[in-house]
Amino acid sequence: MQLSTTPAQDGFYFPAEFQPVSEVWLAWPERRDNWRDRALPAQRTFANIANAIADVTKVCVAVSTKQFDHARELLHRDVRLVEIPYNDAWMRDIGPTVVVNDAGERRGISWQFNAWGGEFNGLYDDWQHDDQVAGSVCDIIGIDHYRAPFVLEGGSIHTDGQGTLYTTEECLLSPGRNPDMEKKQIEQQLKQYLNIEKVVWVPKGLFNDETDGHVDNLLHVIAPAKVVLSWTDDPSDPQYQLSREAEAVLKAQTDAKGREIEVIRLPLPGPLHYSDVEAQGVESSDGMNRRAGERLSASYANFLIVNDHVFLPLLDDSTDQQAISILQQAMPGYCIVGIPSREVLLGGGNIHCITQQIPA
């Protein structure tokens, strides 16, 4: 059922990813103008990720009728397949953000979705099905949902579950999202729909990120007042300055509870770029350009936390182990599960972008 109130009015809040999770949702990739070679390499990678998460919690995968049998072959038996119409497979952005209350009840939020920028700089023209996915998922799970009156994607927000929201100005203030709303109005809406007390605005996301700098590709909240931040020590890298600006902002303020924010630097892989073969395998379209030699927006921060496990993208043999070690030290109680995920990166995101956790 669609509700007419807001989560803040009803006492529901946005829990942290490191709080208990009951299930994780993904959608099956098949767009040939985004996933190379008829999406077959991406499908194998998505299946590996879904199967790994299924060892830890319930997994549901949205799939089209024509892909159902192929997905069933690649996915573990206990992964549930659900036929839902959608336009592309970024469940973080099209799925519901689920809020909870102190009694343990859950409700979903269906944000307005416009393919990361609508007519201004959206990545594809028809996002009608994507915009309905969150409501469909809520119906299938059996929870009521709110329909937010503004554009937002799940990848553009991170929370500590204790009143602090992290986001980027580059994304939320982008002219392709809510051009009629000022920063203060957006902040008021975030407080109404996520029941948070403070928004920490980081200036920009990761270099060359086609989502206009989603926060989940730049940093990850791993505990209250504790974040890992994508980092490079190479002054010639365009990310060098962006990471320093982000760190300065994070360290200059406190969270909603007045705590100083601890920032742990997580090295970037690469730099990584599209190969000729990878770029040639994608069918051309207006919105998504995949050119050989183009810098990939690669980040280890784009991981998923599920019930004391971290599902980490493995992207570069020369830095993977370093990223694992830093995270293991920063998150000592967690099991780090590394999964090769370059095929997801080629489509414009990573493990966090293709998953949406449903809190327990």
Side-chain angles (χ1 to χ4, degrees), residues 29-42:
E30 59 176 284
R31 276 187 88 101
R32 296 182 180 192
D33 60 352
N34 193 35
W35 308 104
R36 71 188 182 109
D37 303 340
R38 297 182 298 138
L40 293 169

Side-chain angles (χ1 to χ4, degrees), residues 241-260:
Q241 196 56 38
L242 300 177
S243 291
R244 275 154 185 77
E245 286 170 15
E247 185 183 62
V249 166
L250 291 165
K251 287 189 163 178
Q253 55 188 311
T254 54
D255 70 5
K257 300 284 186 239
R259 297 172 291 218
E260 289 185 5

Side-chain angles (χ1 to χ4, degrees), residues 36 273-282 296 342-343 346:
R36 71 188 182 109
H273 303 84
Y274 286 102
S275 71
D276 291 342
V277 170
E278 289 165 345
Q280 286 164 9
V282 181
L296 293 159
R342 183 178 174 94
E343 293 298 335
L346 296 175

Side-chain angles (χ1 to χ4, degrees), residues 300-336:
Y300 290 116
N302 206 307
F303 56 81
L304 176 72
I305 304 174
V306 184
N307 301 340
D308 302 328
H309 289 69
V310 170
F311 295 94
L312 178 72
L314 298 182
L315 298 164
D316 181 347
D317 290 344
S318 61
T319 46
D320 286 348
Q321 199 50 55
Q322 193 187 354
I324 291 169
S325 302
I326 289 169
L327 282 173
Q328 198 67 79
Q329 200 172 352
M331 307 172 75
Y334 287 80
C335 172
I336 313 282

